[in-house]
Amino acid sequence: METPVITSRNDVMPLFGVSRNITSQATFHLFVAEQPGGTAPADVRPPSAPVTAAPTRPLVPPSLLGAVVSDRPAANVTHTREAYAAAVEVVSRSFAGELQDRLTRAGVDTSVPFTLKQDNEGRIRVAEEHPNRGQIERLFDQDRAFADDFRAVMHCNDKVAQQRFTELYTEAWRKDSSVEARTRVWEHFKGIHERLCQSLDQMRWNGTQITSPSQAFAKAELA
């Protein structure tokens, strides 16, 4: 990524590309179904202990998942990053509970961490060596809805991290309009963006919960 030539304080702020075409960072929409204080619906609870009964469909309440992943904000929405991030956290916990249940029923040792990524053919794969790699991947291969839910959760977590990056980049760009300052801002955030992109499109099972590497990066580097 070459440094753009910035010749005037009126130059349009250069945008960083993303590894996926989720949405333009310049028109990044944040929205969740309107909840008091940006909290999650009462019918969504953190995952309980693993059970042996078959899961109840849908995996994630459609009203919440739809509000989080929709490309069109509804009329009654909360336009805040904090509310969106809170909804994504609840969706992630809901999916983690379902994943843990399925891993347990498949005989997978859930205490062993692993990373899930999407390959070039759209399949969900374990990124590293794992004693139960085949069993884990079959969970997604055999249930399209389950794989789609994973992709939605992964992409939503990445959106939260990308939005935080965009906020800080925009703030720094506007702080000093001199050519020299804005060139330095671009060069500084270029390196951050490259590292952020390396953490996108994956989720990590840490033995008890599913986590987002991009969110972890944002919390550590973009605090």
Side-chain angles (χ1 to χ4, degrees):
M1 185 185 299
E2 298 297 328
T3 301
V5 178
I6 302 171
T7 60
S8 167
R9 69 178 61 190
N10 296 320
D11 281 353
V12 175
M13 182 177 69
L15 296 179
F16 290 91
V18 295
S19 63
R20 287 174 278 95
N21 185 23
I22 297 177
T23 183
S24 168
Q25 290 189 10
T27 58
F28 198 99
H29 294 298
L30 295 181
F31 43 85
V32 292
E34 190 170 17
Q35 304 294 329
T39 57
D43 62 340
V44 182
R45 304 297 181 188
S48 57
V51 296
T52 56
T56 300
R57 302 294 298 173
L59 304 182
V60 177
S63 60
L64 179 60
L65 185 59
V68 172
V69 304
S70 171
D71 289 331
R72 295 179 180 275
N76 59 334
V77 295
T78 303
H79 292 266
T80 67
R81 180 176 63 86
E82 291 78 10
Y84 180 84
V88 171
E89 182 178 353
V90 173
V91 169
S92 299
R93 290 202 307 268
S94 178
F95 180 83
E98 176 62 26
L99 176 61
Q100 185 177 47
D101 290 349
R102 290 183 179 230
L103 291 172
T104 300
R105 290 195 300 274
V108 176
D109 182 359
T110 59
S111 67
V112 181
F114 57 86
T115 302
L116 293 169
K117 301 186 71 173
Q118 182 173 273
D119 67 12
N120 293 332
E121 297 180 5
R123 299 173 300 183
I124 308 304
R125 292 291 176 258
V126 177
E128 63 276 278
E129 292 299 321
H130 189 282
N132 302 115
R133 183 174 185 174
Q135 292 167 275
I136 297 170
E137 292 178 349
R138 278 195 293 275
L139 294 177
F140 299 94
D141 290 340
Q142 295 174 355
D143 191 330
R144 181 176 178 178
F146 187 54
D148 286 345
D149 277 357
F150 169 78
R151 294 185 188 95
V153 170
M154 177 180 68
H155 291 167
C156 288
N157 276 276
D158 286 348
K159 281 185 179 182
V160 174
Q162 289 173 327
Q163 173 62 10
R164 180 56 178 159
F165 170 87
T166 302
E167 284 182 350
L168 293 179
Y169 174 43
T170 303
E171 179 182 343
W173 179 269
R174 293 174 176 172
K175 188 174 182 179
D176 189 333
S177 61
S178 68
V179 172
E180 296 77 12
R182 288 188 166 178
T183 299
R184 288 195 299 271
V185 166
W186 168 266
E187 292 175 342
H188 173 70
F189 279 89
K190 171 187 172 182
I192 296 176
H193 184 261
E194 289 173 349
R195 297 197 302 276
L196 172 61
C197 283
Q198 294 174 0
S199 67
L200 299 175
D201 298 315
Q202 55 189 298
M203 294 293 285
R204 178 77 173 167
W205 175 260
N206 64 11
T208 58
Q209 187 60 269
I210 194 165
T211 62
S212 166
S214 64
Q215 287 256 47
F217 176 86
K219 291 176 181 178
E221 302 293 330
L222 303 173

